[in-house]
């Protein structure tokens, strides 16, 4: 193959096959002298060919394998056999280990010196395959991110990490730099993957780092377990916690700038059998600036919410499990009504996002500053709008409901499976039924379902005929008209098949039928009353719509909405 490549010039090949003319080649060569780009890059820049058409042509002409990096699973350990500096210099990446040789994807098949250098660096013969340079540059930070940094960390620490040595105070120790490099790599990868949480978990076999991406935990890397005390101590310093306290849980926060975004990071430590577990929640401050029209809700629900938010008084509740996006929705609501004419207070545990022009209060139950006490005090501060982070007890629920009847707009969250479940929940908290009917403006339940990755979206042929028939029957259509989709898995989505999340909403507004159903304390009556409202549809029905539209999968719909069907 090498001898064949040596005899071929890219420009000659393209002219021989009528892809470009000799005049176009001459003009491109003149432009190339000024730009310093390779010929293929210059041809693409001049729009004489596209990258995809050029690669397809070269693969055919040179009898090389064409590899789509967005669809190719890559082994991180194999990737690290080629140093990052060489991967970037030669636009190459190891793809497969075939025993006696490696398959290496390269963007430039005519760069034979690069092929020889890669073979020497990896210690085996190398077979070339064609890859897209743009795809390679997109995934290189991911491939040479935390995995390479953890290996670098182990090498940098060397013998300084021993089982008997106590963990140093990292502000001035020599080990601080590699620890910081590891943490920076993890933080950067978490921001790039849009992770909501980072878990540092000490185990007998080592330190495991997991990221929660799109609501699901995935393992990110493993390092020597003896590093956990160093990592925990450094994180405690960053969060202004007591590094000497390892027997009791601690909570703190820090501020980070990652990938050009500002994050507030909540940190929680917990003593476990093999050390201290540390969980960081990443709060993207841009999320606090969202408005209703950026949340992805149906237009009819958006209009209903805007009407509720501009009512002078009343109680609006958002329900759902932890991590379902309730706080994001309430912050979007505050953005809708945050004007100079309104005095707005929030009562939170903890304060997640900082909002300009709004007075935010952090509760501290240990010193007696709980939700109820803060609410009573806020009512003497002449507020127009109050947001309650969570209604947990009778006193908070009672104060919130009565505040809603005395000229205040109150927004709050409640832990229930669906919207109609909010009313019996308030009754369990001993709020009178007549007070619920008079104070509540509306209740919205929500979930977050994962979206199918657009880069690897394909038709799902694994859905059984019984599942297809049941789904079609619920929609009232023929099974022949139902097409299911899924993600095959690619580098864009880290081979999960999902990328990003889509909210699912269920909104009930208060009316006479609903008030009567609340007094009857009957769930069936509540559902019947809600079903008469134009904007109301069940969470499962909304999730089914997303499956029908090819936004999410049947499995994801079942995973997220199953709990909402429970009584």
């Amino acid at each position: 193959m090498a001898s064949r490549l040596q005899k071929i010039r890219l420009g000659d090949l393209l002219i021989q096959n009528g892809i470009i003319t000799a005049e176009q080649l001459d003009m491109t060569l003149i432009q190339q002298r000024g730009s310093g780009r390779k010929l293929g890059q210059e041809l693409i820049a001049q729009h004489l060919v596209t990258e995809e058409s050029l690669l397809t042509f070269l693969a055919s002409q040179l009898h090389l394998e064409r590899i789509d990096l967005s669809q190719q699973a890559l082994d991180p350990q194999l990737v690290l056999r080629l140093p990052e500096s060489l991967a970037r210099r030669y636009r190459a990446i190891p793809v497969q280990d075939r025993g006696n040789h490696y398959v290496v994807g390269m963007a430039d098949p005519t760069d034979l010196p690069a092929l020889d250098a890669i073979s020497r660096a990896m210690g085996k013969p190398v077979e070339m395959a064609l890859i897209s340079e743009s795809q390679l540059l997109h995934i290189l930070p991911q491939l040479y991110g935390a995995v390479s940094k953890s290996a670098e960390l182990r090498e940098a620490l060397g013998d300084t990490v021993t089982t008997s040595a106590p963990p140093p105070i990292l502000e001035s120790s020599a080990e601080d730099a590699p620890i910081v490099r590891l943490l920076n790599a993890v933080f950067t990868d978490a921001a790039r993957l849009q992770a909501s949480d980072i878990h540092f978990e000490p185990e007998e076999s080592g330190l495991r780092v997991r990221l929660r991406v799109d609501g699901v935990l995935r393992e990110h890397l493993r390092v020597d377990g003896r590093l956990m005390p160093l990592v925990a101590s450094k994180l405690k310093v960053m969060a202004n916690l007591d590094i000497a306290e390892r027997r009791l849980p601690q909570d703190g926060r820090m501020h980070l700038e990652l990938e050009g975004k500002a994050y507030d990071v909540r940190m929680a430590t917990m003593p476990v059998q093999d050390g201290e577990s540390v969980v960081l929640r990443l709060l993207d401050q841009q999320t606090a600036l969202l408005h209703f029209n950026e949340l992805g809700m149906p237009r009819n629900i958006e209009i209903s919410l805007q009407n509720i938010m501009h009512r002078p008084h009343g109680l609006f509740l958002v329900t759902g499990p932890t991590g379902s996006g309730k706080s994001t929705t309430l912050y979007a609501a505050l953005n809708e009504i945050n004007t100079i004419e309104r005095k707005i207070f929030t009562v939170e545990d903890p304060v997640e996002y900082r909002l300009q022009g709004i007075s935010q209060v952090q509760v501290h139950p240990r010193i007696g500053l709980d939700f109820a006490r803060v609410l009573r005090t806020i009512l003497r501060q002449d507020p127009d709008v109050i947001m309650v982070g969570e209604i947990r007890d009778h006193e908070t629920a009672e104060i919130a409901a009565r505040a809603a009847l005395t000229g205040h707009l109150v927004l709050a969250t409640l832990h229930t499976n669906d919207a109609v479940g909010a009313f019996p929940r308030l009754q369990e908290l001993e709020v009178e039924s007549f007070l619920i009917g008079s104070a509540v403006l509306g209740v919205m339940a929500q979930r977050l379902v994962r979206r199918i990755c657009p880069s690897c979206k394909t038709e799902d042929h694994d859905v059984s005929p019984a599942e297809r028939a049941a789904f079609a029957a619920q929609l009232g259509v023929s099974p022949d008209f139902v097409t299911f989709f899924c993600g095959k898995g690619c580098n864009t989505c880290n081979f999960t098949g999902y990328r990003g999340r889509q909210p699912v909403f269920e909104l009930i507004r208060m009316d006479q039928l609903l008030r009567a159903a609340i007094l009857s304390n009957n769930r069936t009556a509540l559902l019947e009353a809600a079903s008469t409202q134009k904007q109301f549809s069940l969470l499962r029905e909304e999730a089914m719509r997303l499956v029908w539209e090819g936004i999410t999968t049947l499995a994801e719909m079942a995973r997220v909405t199953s709990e909402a069907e429970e009584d």
Side-chain angles (χ1 to χ4, degrees):
M1 183 184 73
S3 61
R4 172 172 171 78
L5 286 176
Q6 284 176 329
K7 298 176 183 178
I8 292 177
R9 295 173 60 190
L10 176 59
D12 294 337
L13 263 182
L14 296 172
I15 292 174
Q16 291 169 15
N17 287 270
I19 295 176
I20 62 173
T21 66
E23 291 77 13
Q24 288 174 326
L25 176 60
D26 291 339
M27 291 299 298
T28 302
L29 291 173
I30 293 172
Q31 295 291 332
Q32 182 190 11
R33 295 189 195 105
S35 67
R37 288 189 283 250
K38 293 186 177 181
L39 179 58
Q41 295 172 328
E42 191 62 45
L43 288 168
I44 295 170
Q46 297 297 324
H47 304 291
L48 296 176
V49 295
T50 65
E51 183 182 37
E52 184 60 35
S53 64
L54 181 60
L55 289 174
T56 301
F57 168 75
L58 288 175
S60 173
Q61 290 292 313
L62 304 180
H63 306 290
L64 294 175
E65 183 180 1
R66 167 79 169 93
I67 293 178
D68 184 351
L69 289 180
S70 68
Q71 309 296 324
Q72 177 72 35
L74 298 174
D75 181 356
Q77 300 307 316
L78 175 61
V79 167
L80 290 180
R81 290 182 180 272
L82 180 66
E84 182 178 4
S85 59
L86 296 184
R88 291 187 178 278
R89 181 189 309 169
Y90 298 130
R91 299 296 193 258
I93 200 74
V95 176
Q96 294 175 7
D97 183 353
R98 293 185 178 171
N100 61 344
H101 72 279
Y102 294 116
V103 176
V104 174
M106 295 182 65
D108 184 359
T110 65
D111 194 348
L112 297 179
L115 197 65
D116 293 336
I118 292 170
S119 179
R120 288 194 300 271
M122 299 189 69
K124 273 187 187 180
V126 168
E127 177 184 329
M128 182 192 300
L130 271 180
I131 60 172
S132 160
E133 182 176 4
S134 59
Q135 286 183 346
L136 175 66
L137 294 178
H138 177 71
I139 66 171
L140 273 179
Q142 170 186 332
L143 296 174
Y144 287 97
V147 176
S148 62
K149 291 295 188 298
S150 64
E152 179 184 312
L153 172 65
R154 287 193 294 268
E155 181 180 348
L157 287 180
D159 296 333
T160 62
V161 179
T162 64
T163 53
S164 59
I169 298 175
L170 295 175
E171 286 180 309
S172 58
S173 69
E175 288 80 14
D176 185 62
I179 290 291
V180 169
R181 286 200 298 272
L182 173 65
L183 291 177
N184 282 340
V186 172
F187 289 151
T188 301
D189 286 348
R192 179 179 49 77
L193 294 171
Q194 299 178 2
S196 60
D197 301 85
I198 305 172
H199 293 242
F200 295 91
E201 302 168 326
E203 298 177 339
E204 187 175 359
S205 59
L207 167 60
R208 179 171 68 169
V209 180
R210 292 196 290 173
L211 305 180
R212 187 176 296 279
V213 180
D214 295 335
V216 178
L217 278 173
R218 63 175 69 165
E219 185 167 311
H220 189 57
L221 66 102
R222 285 179 180 267
V223 294
D224 193 321
R226 294 171 294 176
L227 302 179
M228 186 61 211
L230 304 174
V231 171
S233 294
K234 181 59 183 175
L235 290 171
K236 287 178 181 179
V237 170
M238 296 169 66
N240 295 316
L241 299 180
D242 183 0
I243 65 172
E245 180 56 76
R246 304 184 189 92
R247 300 170 300 171
L248 296 174
Q250 296 189 72
D251 296 317
R253 67 190 307 151
M254 64 187 82
H255 182 79
L256 296 174
E257 296 282 342
L258 303 171
E259 299 287 291
K261 291 184 178 180
Y263 289 86
D264 270 342
V265 182
R266 281 171 27 200
M267 173 174 162
T269 71
M270 173 66 70
V272 294
Q273 185 172 3
D274 296 302
E276 282 185 285
S277 171
V278 179
V279 177
L280 306 177
R281 168 150 293 187
L282 305 180
L283 302 169
D284 180 359
Q285 292 306 295
Q286 293 298 316
T287 302
L289 303 177
L290 295 178
H291 293 270
F292 284 150
N293 60 2
E294 299 173 285
L295 295 181
M297 61 180 57
R299 180 61 179 164
N300 60 336
I301 291 182
E302 181 184 335
I303 293 173
S304 295
L305 279 182
Q306 287 175 338
N307 290 336
I308 290 173
M309 289 305 110
H310 289 90
R311 295 283 292 273
H313 56 81
L315 175 61
F316 177 69
L317 298 169
V318 181
T319 76
T322 300
S324 60
K326 300 187 299 297
S327 295
T328 300
T329 297
L330 287 181
Y331 280 116
L334 292 179
N335 284 328
E336 290 286 331
I337 57 179
N338 185 12
T339 63
I340 196 67
E341 293 86 10
R342 287 189 177 94
K343 176 70 172 182
I344 302 177
F345 274 95
T346 72
V347 191
E348 304 173 68
D349 183 22
V351 173
E352 293 192 357
Y353 300 101
R354 302 183 190 278
L355 299 174
Q356 189 172 2
I358 293 177
S359 301
Q360 297 174 266
V361 182
Q362 164 98 39
V363 300
H364 293 284
R366 292 181 181 177
I367 61 173
L369 192 65
D370 55 18
F371 279 102
R373 182 171 180 180
V374 173
L375 274 176
R376 284 194 300 268
T377 305
I378 282 177
L379 291 175
R380 295 193 289 270
Q381 292 277 318
D382 188 29
D384 296 295
V385 181
I386 305 170
M387 189 191 92
V388 183
E390 182 182 348
I391 293 179
R392 301 173 179 172
D393 53 56
H394 163 70
E395 190 174 9
T396 303
E398 185 82 13
I399 296 172
R402 295 198 178 278
L405 290 178
T406 55
H408 307 91
L409 180 62
V410 182
L411 316 178
T413 70
L414 197 64
H415 280 289
T416 64
N417 283 334
D418 55 11
V420 297
F423 304 112
R425 175 59 180 152
L426 289 174
Q427 290 168 331
E428 289 172 7
L429 293 175
E430 300 180 358
V431 180
E432 296 290 343
S433 296
F434 77 88
L435 187 56
I436 298 172
S438 301
V440 174
L441 297 173
V443 181
M444 186 168 75
Q446 68 180 73
R447 297 290 190 279
L448 294 171
V449 298
R450 291 182 291 173
R451 299 175 65 99
I452 299 172
C453 174
S455 299
C456 60
K457 182 177 178 179
T458 186
E459 188 173 345
D460 187 355
H461 297 287
D462 294 332
V463 178
S464 69
E467 289 176 314
R468 182 182 298 274
F471 184 85
Q474 292 181 70
L475 287 178
V477 299
S478 167
D480 296 334
F481 293 101
V482 178
T483 302
F484 297 100
F485 294 91
C486 65
K488 292 189 301 182
C490 62
N491 281 310
T492 301
C493 61
N494 281 345
F495 297 93
T496 63
Y498 297 98
R499 182 70 172 170
R501 290 192 286 179
Q502 170 75 30
V504 181
F505 300 99
E506 176 183 288
L507 177 64
I508 300 176
R509 298 190 64 173
M510 186 61 66
D511 59 17
Q512 291 299 329
L513 284 176
L514 197 57
R515 287 191 182 94
I518 291 170
L519 292 173
S520 70
N521 195 18
N522 183 287
R523 180 179 173 85
T524 302
L526 287 168
L527 281 172
E528 289 176 352
S531 64
T532 64
Q533 301 181 12
K534 291 183 179 180
Q535 86 289 334
F536 177 78
S537 60
L538 294 170
L539 286 169
R540 190 171 184 83
E541 293 172 348
E542 281 297 298
M544 288 180 66
R545 177 181 62 81
L546 297 179
V547 175
W548 169 261
E549 294 175 357
I551 294 173
T552 192
T553 64
L554 196 62
E556 185 69 3
M557 178 196 78
R559 181 184 73 87
V560 172
T561 62
S562 59
E563 63 179 4
E565 296 181 308
E566 301 171 3
D567 290 335

